[in-house]
Amino acid sequence: MPNTLLRCFTPKRGVARRTEKKSFRPDIQGLRAFAVVAVVLDHLLGWPSGGFVGVDIFFVISGFLITGLLLREHERTGRIAFGGFYKRRIKRILPAAVLVLLVTVLAGYFIFNKARATNTFWDGIWAFFFGANWRQTVIGTDYFAAGGPVSPLQHYWSLAVEEQFYFVWPWLMLALFALTGKLYRGRANPRVVAGITMAILTLGSLGWSLWETSTNPNVAYFSTFSRAWELGIGALLACAATLLPRLSSTWRPILAWVGLAGMIVSLFVINPQTSFPAPSALLPVLSTALVIIAGTGTADHSYIAPLTNPVARYLGDISYSLYLWHFPVIILAGTLNPGEQNLLYNAAAIVAMLLLSVFAYHLVEDPIRKSLWLSGEKRWVRNIQVPDSYKLTALGALAAVTAVVVGAAMVAKAPVEQATLPQASAIVIGTSSASAAPAAGPKVTELQNEIAAALTATSWPENLSPSMDDAVGNHEAPAGVAECGKKVAPSASDCLWGDPSAAKTAILVGDSVGVAWAPALLETYGKGEWKLLMRAQFGCPFAVRDAKNESTDCATHKQAVTGDIQRIKPDLLIIANNYPDSGDAQAWARGATEILAEAAGAKSTVALSSPPHDKDVQKCYRPGSKPQDCVSVVNGWYNDLTFAERRAFEEVGAKYVNTSPLFCSPNGACPAFVGATPVKLDQVHMTLWYGGKLAPALNELIQPLS
């Protein structure tokens, strides 16, 4: 190893003592405050657009502090005491985390429906064992556009990433120190060894993150492998910490303010549509690194007052508790208050999360962290020192939190119906003129009558089959059909229903909504003279929404599907996509017809509109709820999309079916059950049972067009 490199990383006399000495970093506390405030604002208000980068700032801080601690210990003692290290991590992390897990899971059983409460329980189990990020990956969570209700424990994913990193990194450091110590007979500098290794790992992780973000962004967001480079940047700063005291005092304010400016800019230029975590996270990560560099090796941090003032420092102190409590408060309060979030609601949520965080910090987190727990002392509990003022006011704080949450729920406004549906006589659009559409047949009329009756119900029927608890959060399709909608699907022959020699072929394409329609369509197009090939795939709409951000898997799947259509030339192509919640309706419609033009070959094409989605039954159905709480309305965005999509499909010769009368009354009210059957399992996907119920009406709409 070059001597010059060794000298650069070898602290001078006196400098080593100063850098090794434990000192308080008010600027880092300010960084923590900045990060947690950004995250809270993003989750509560959806503003600023890039508030979620606060997690990336935390990663850099953590990588810097923990790696620095390990290096200083090795330099001081010649070893890394893993027992002491992990005991400190447990004392620092577990008490506050477990408290929030227990309270949230318990609250979920009183506030959520059975299915959501059970999911929250399992989220808690995964979070306790620091596997929350892989739990979110396994269940297919899209951080930016979750289809179902968001877990109140979803934010534990970042804690899992950190702890997984620290389960591996200290052991790797020790192994490298031992190996290089033998090879270089003790002359190898630990900081050089750790720095070179971490540089290689960081570059590798960043490269992987770039690839995974472009091919599978949902997995990349939660993946430890795609996030490790952010902790690695902090670790590299720790390895170079003995160089940083030499930095000129002239440059420190400049670097700090440039870094702070970069973090602020990242909050507004980064949004859910940017490629994240790589390369977009480079801006907040490198900006945070500049602030840390500027403040390393000096006791004077007054030049960066926004991060070092008393308020920022205190928020930094409670940042861990605040991060843990803020998300359960937002999700649980949002369930109790399903109406529009107004200023009073937001203020109440902020007060609740702050009170919980302050008292959790002073009553649990800080006292246990400073206690003799895990030290072997039998009477360690007596060592826990809690300020008397917090003992006296803890009960009052609990009462205050309860009051603000209940108050917010009591003043919640009921949602206002926004739009109306076309009359049942105009639900099928087969030509450019709505008046030319055939009138609703007897099956649709019968279903409409049941919908009207359901809207008058004042309590949940006792004869629902299945019960709402069993229906909510169930599966979009039965076994066999669901497997055909996965990224790795069975062979085409296993996804073909009906007699393979049947005279007519229908192909179903789309995303999860298409998969959900499959059981109903099989009643007609999977028997007799028809055979149905299911080519819909979860999370992959058969439309061009944003090709730039489309996953590679989805693009490959659609290319294969268009090839199948061109080769088979089916008698009927059925398209069924979920609608986006916002955006340009015209652009969506054009995208749907662009892909259809590429898939030319079908003798007839029918597009089914997405079921209207407003209320999410997983959120609105809960203990104490009434049917009216889960009545959705057809909003203006849905009407705009169906109108734009109808015109676009007609222009290329396709037929269009507005499916909303299968779910809603003519004035746009959509009940959560029809007859004795629950309608949806979430916000948009129908239950298996309702798919069977509406099959005759759906066939009545499609058959004249096929």
Side-chain angles (χ1 to χ4, degrees), residues 222-414:
F222 295 106
S223 170
T224 305
F225 304 108
S226 295
R227 293 288 192 158
W229 65 272
E230 301 178 30
L231 290 120
I233 294 292
L236 285 172
L237 296 180
C239 294
T242 53
L243 297 175
L244 300 179
R246 306 173 188 177
L247 185 65
S248 168
S249 59
T250 303
W251 281 100
R252 291 183 185 277
I254 297 174
L255 292 179
W257 279 96
V258 169
L260 180 58
M263 292 191 304
I264 294 173
V265 169
S266 69
L267 299 180
F268 297 95
V269 300
I270 295 175
N271 57 64
Q273 284 69 51
T274 56
S275 297
F276 203 87
S280 299
L282 279 167
L283 178 57
V285 166
L286 295 180
S287 298
T288 305
L290 289 178
V291 177
I292 293 175
I293 290 171
T296 302
T298 179
D300 180 18
H301 302 91
S302 59
Y303 51 79
I304 190 75
L307 298 180
T308 58
N309 64 77
V311 174
R313 287 168 58 173
Y314 184 73
L315 285 175
D317 289 342
I318 67 168
S319 60
Y320 178 55
S321 282
L322 181 55
Y323 181 79
L324 292 176
W325 282 106
H326 86 280
F327 205 58
V329 167
I330 291 171
I331 300 301
L332 294 170
T335 303
L336 292 172
N337 175 39
E340 181 182 356
Q341 295 182 6
N342 52 29
L343 181 62
L344 179 59
Y345 168 86
N346 292 331
I350 290 173
V351 169
M353 66 180 68
L354 279 174
L355 285 174
L356 285 168
S357 303
V358 167
F359 282 90
Y361 173 77
H362 289 286
L363 292 172
V364 178
E365 179 189 343
D366 198 46
I368 293 181
R369 180 175 61 86
K370 296 176 179 178
S371 74
L372 295 177
W373 181 43
L374 300 179
S375 66
E377 173 65 44
K378 294 182 179 180
R379 299 181 179 181
W380 63 268
V381 175
R382 297 183 181 180
N383 174 254
I384 298 178
Q385 301 294 322
V386 179
D388 291 338
S389 58
Y390 288 96
K391 291 179 182 178
L392 295 173
T393 56
L395 186 60
L398 179 62
V401 170
T402 304
V404 295
V405 172
V406 173
M410 292 179 64
V411 301
K413 296 181 179 179

Side-chain angles (χ1 to χ4, degrees), residues 568-580:
I568 297 172
K569 294 181 171 50
D571 297 274
L572 177 63
L573 175 65
I574 304 172
I575 302 173
N577 294 315
N578 186 14
Y579 285 166

Side-chain angles (χ1 to χ4, degrees), residues 540-616:
C540 184
F542 198 69
V544 181
R545 264 197 274 192
D546 187 354
K548 179 181 65 175
N549 291 324
E550 186 176 64
S551 71
T552 301
D553 289 335
C554 183
T556 301
H557 170 75
K558 290 198 293 189
Q559 186 177 11
V561 170
T562 56
D564 288 345
I565 295 170
Q566 293 167 350
R567 175 177 52 83
I568 297 172
K569 294 181 171 50
D571 297 274
L572 177 63
L573 175 65
I574 304 172
I575 302 173
N577 294 315
N578 186 14
Y579 285 166
D581 292 327
S582 61
D584 185 343
Q586 299 296 331
W588 165 266
R590 287 194 302 270
T593 55
E594 283 174 16
I595 192 71
L596 183 59
E598 296 177 16
K603 296 176 183 177
S604 180
T605 299
V606 172
L608 306 179
S609 72
S610 171
H613 44 88
D614 173 32
K615 294 287 186 67
D616 186 339

Side-chain angles (χ1 to χ4, degrees), residues 492-543:
S493 60
D494 292 327
C495 298
L496 181 71
W497 282 267
D499 185 350
S501 61
K504 294 184 178 181
T505 302
I507 297 180
L508 171 63
V509 299
D511 52 19
S512 59
V513 166
V515 176
W517 280 113
L521 293 168
L522 288 174
E523 293 296 317
T524 300
Y525 298 99
K527 60 180 64 173
E529 64 175 347
W530 285 95
K531 57 180 178 288
L532 176 66
L533 176 62
M534 216 283 283
R535 296 292 276 132
Q537 179 176 290
F538 291 108
C540 184
F542 198 69

